[in-house]
Amino acid sequence: MPDRKLPTLDLKRNYARVRNEIREAVDKVLESQHFILGPEVKAFEAEVASTLGVPLAVGCASGTDALILSLMALNVGPGDEVITTPYSFFATASCITRIGARPVFADIDPDTYNFKVDDVLEKISPKTRAVIPVHLFGQMVPLENLAPELRSRGIALVEDTAQAFGATRHVGGEIQRAGGVGDVGCISFFPTKNLGAYGDGGMITSTREDLAKSLKSLRVHGSTETYFHETVGINSRLDEIQAAILRVRLRHLQEWNEERRQAAARYALLFREAGLMEWVRPPVEAPGNTHIYHQYVIRCERREALQAHLESEGISSRVYYPLCLHLQPCFSNLGYREGDFPEAEALSRDCLALPIFPELEAEEQEWLVSSMEAFYRK
Ligand SMILES: *Cc1c(COP(=O)(O)O)cnc(C)c1O
């Protein structure tokens, strides 16, 4: 057994930086004994809305629920098609099936790993009711051409912002924020996300104030007045304790995202210095984008052997994602087969997520890269 370990993510190091602030915030909620949709949720919703420059933010129980509630509020349902990427976390596609609509996939860009806008436009049919771009691993999909095109056709734009809170894109002298461009943005506060809670949590952000009433009613069983129901919603709320924790963590997020960016830049430099570019392709940050590196995902040769070698030295790595969505057994009824999305399938075979978190030390990254060098040069 190696005596040193490097995890892909170390939340304990992060907690040590904010312990006192968090305890104070949680204590305040405990003293108030107000646990559901109280002042902390309200304040946090306002802070998120102002951070993204949108008029509306509605807390809910998870990123998955944020997607489901959004599609419900937009009246997407049976008979409708929703276009998204075949390369994402499962929830991106399952939310579409959950509300009775049909997922339609568009292939990805091999450098940024995000879906290709041109492919999406080709997949639009008379049944298309929404498009879900996923800002994968912390980098924004270019929406400047897609958004106006969809708007002109009456198709909703639902940003899956689960991995990209704080990511931005500069276009034509303007700054766009992940979750602040489409009709709605869906955020996850799952503990491992850049802005993670200490339990589950989610939020819907929106540029459309007209969705406020339905989103707020759908999260409380479809009622606007307790015990009276106009629609059938779900029970999906962000709780007060999580909101209080998230308010503390939001204050530090920009700094933490910046630290992730520095770690990513250091990896790229170390790979070049070690002459590893023959075997390794670092992630590409598209011009105009500020990537916040929720994950640092490289493409590499002999992935399984590399991963085993790193593991034997005490270094963890992960495969996001080993099986594309269109090939998942639960979606076999959609009729897709292997070969339909060659770029996404190729990425699932050679991607590897390396450790990245704000507190990752330069010396740990050097250790990892020299271990990779030993593997490829032996
Ligand atoms: C994490 C994640 C979700 C779901 O968020 P939960 O809070 O875990 O429900 C959805 N989409 C993507 C891309 C994610 O990474």
Side-chain angles (χ1 to χ4, degrees):
M1 279 290 280
D3 51 357
R4 270 174 95 190
K5 293 241 176 224
L6 177 54
T8 49
L9 171 65
D10 187 346
L11 289 173
K12 286 184 184 167
R13 291 190 212 177
N14 188 264
Y15 180 53
R17 297 168 78 177
V18 288
R19 182 181 285 116
N20 292 340
E21 285 173 87
I22 297 275
R23 286 186 174 177
E24 226 172 86
V26 170
D27 210 35
K28 202 172 127 198
V29 177
L30 293 178
E31 289 301 331
S32 81
Q33 289 290 301
H34 192 160
F35 297 116
I36 304 293
L37 299 183
E40 295 292 331
V41 169
K42 204 168 185 166
F44 181 55
E45 287 173 338
E47 286 160 7
V48 168
S50 98
T51 303
L52 297 190
V54 295
L56 180 65
V58 179
C60 63
S62 69
T64 303
D65 279 2
L67 288 161
I68 291 174
L69 288 164
S70 296
L71 293 174
M72 287 170 85
L74 292 161
N75 289 314
V76 181
D80 297 335
E81 292 178 354
V82 179
I83 305 172
T84 191
T85 171
Y87 203 87
S88 179
F89 177 63
F90 180 66
T92 303
S94 68
C95 68
I96 302 168
T97 310
R98 257 283 136 253
I99 52 114
R102 183 184 177 85
V104 171
F105 299 111
D107 209 357
I108 61 156
D109 176 280
D111 292 326
T112 64
Y113 319 147
N114 281 328
F115 73 17
K116 285 183 284 198
V117 169
D118 288 344
D119 271 39
V120 172
L121 294 174
E122 272 173 33
K123 298 279 155 73
I124 292 177
S125 85
K127 291 183 179 169
T128 308
R129 288 290 308 282
V131 171
I132 306 181
V134 179
H135 305 303
L136 198 69
F137 303 142
Q139 156 157 251
M140 277 186 80
V141 174
L143 298 174
E144 60 272 17
N145 297 327
L146 186 62
E149 184 65 32
L150 296 180
R151 202 173 305 124
S152 74
R153 300 187 193 205
I155 298 169
L157 180 58
V158 177
E159 294 176 72
D160 183 334
T161 316
Q163 302 187 359
F165 192 96
T168 60
R169 176 169 173 77
H170 283 267
V171 256
E174 237 185 85
I175 186 162
Q176 299 191 327
R177 294 173 201 285
V181 183
D183 293 86
V184 291
C186 301
I187 305 170
S188 164
F189 304 121
F190 187 77
T192 61
K193 305 286 157 98
N194 285 33
L195 180 57
Y198 293 167
D200 275 307
M203 191 165 282
I204 304 137
T205 54
S206 182
T207 52
R208 286 176 49 183
E209 266 168 300
D210 63 301
L211 293 176
K213 196 173 160 219
S214 59
L215 286 171
K216 285 181 180 169
S217 134
L218 284 167
R219 74 174 164 178
V220 287
H221 305 284
S223 78
T224 41
E225 192 188 336
T226 311
Y227 306 126
F228 293 88
H229 300 266
E230 292 106 57
T231 51
V232 178
I234 58 178
N235 171 12
S236 180
R237 294 161 313 215
L238 176 64
D239 82 57
E240 273 299 276
I241 291 180
Q242 297 305 338
I245 290 166
L246 286 161
R247 290 184 71 198
V248 171
R249 303 195 82 241
L250 178 61
R251 293 202 286 272
H252 298 278
L253 185 67
Q254 206 174 347
E255 183 193 352
W256 295 341
N257 281 347
E258 189 49 46
E259 288 167 349
R260 286 171 180 271
R261 287 178 56 72
Q262 282 163 12
R266 188 175 301 112
Y267 269 134
L269 183 69
L270 291 171
F271 290 144
R272 274 199 303 278
E273 282 177 357
L276 283 175
M277 301 299 271
E278 191 181 321
W279 303 283
V280 169
R281 271 164 74 185
V284 176
E285 183 179 49
N289 276 359
T290 298
H291 196 319
I292 49 130
Y293 295 97
H294 166 60
Q295 297 295 345
Y296 186 84
V297 177
I298 61 167
R299 307 191 66 161
C300 60
E301 290 193 11
R302 293 192 284 140
R303 179 183 67 192
E304 268 68 35
L306 172 64
Q307 198 177 15
H309 167 79
L310 292 173
E311 199 61 50
S312 75
E313 305 236 306
I315 300 170
S316 297
S317 61
R318 295 274 167 83
V319 173
Y320 302 119
Y321 298 93
L323 186 63
C324 295
L325 296 174
H326 66 287
L327 300 176
Q328 295 290 343
C330 64
F331 294 135
S332 62
N333 63 313
L334 297 175
Y336 287 110
R337 47 176 69 82
E338 205 164 338
D340 284 345
F341 302 105
E343 297 291 4
E345 290 165 29
L347 181 60
S348 72
R349 289 189 293 265
D350 68 11
C351 65
L352 193 63
L354 302 180
I356 194 146
F357 48 93
E359 300 76 21
L360 181 64
E361 287 171 21
E363 182 271 327
E364 291 174 310
Q365 295 183 272
E366 285 157 16
W367 172 34
L368 184 153
V369 174
S370 61
S371 173
M372 281 175 70
E373 203 181 342
F375 171 79
Y376 282 117
R377 293 192 191 282
K378 84 180 156 212

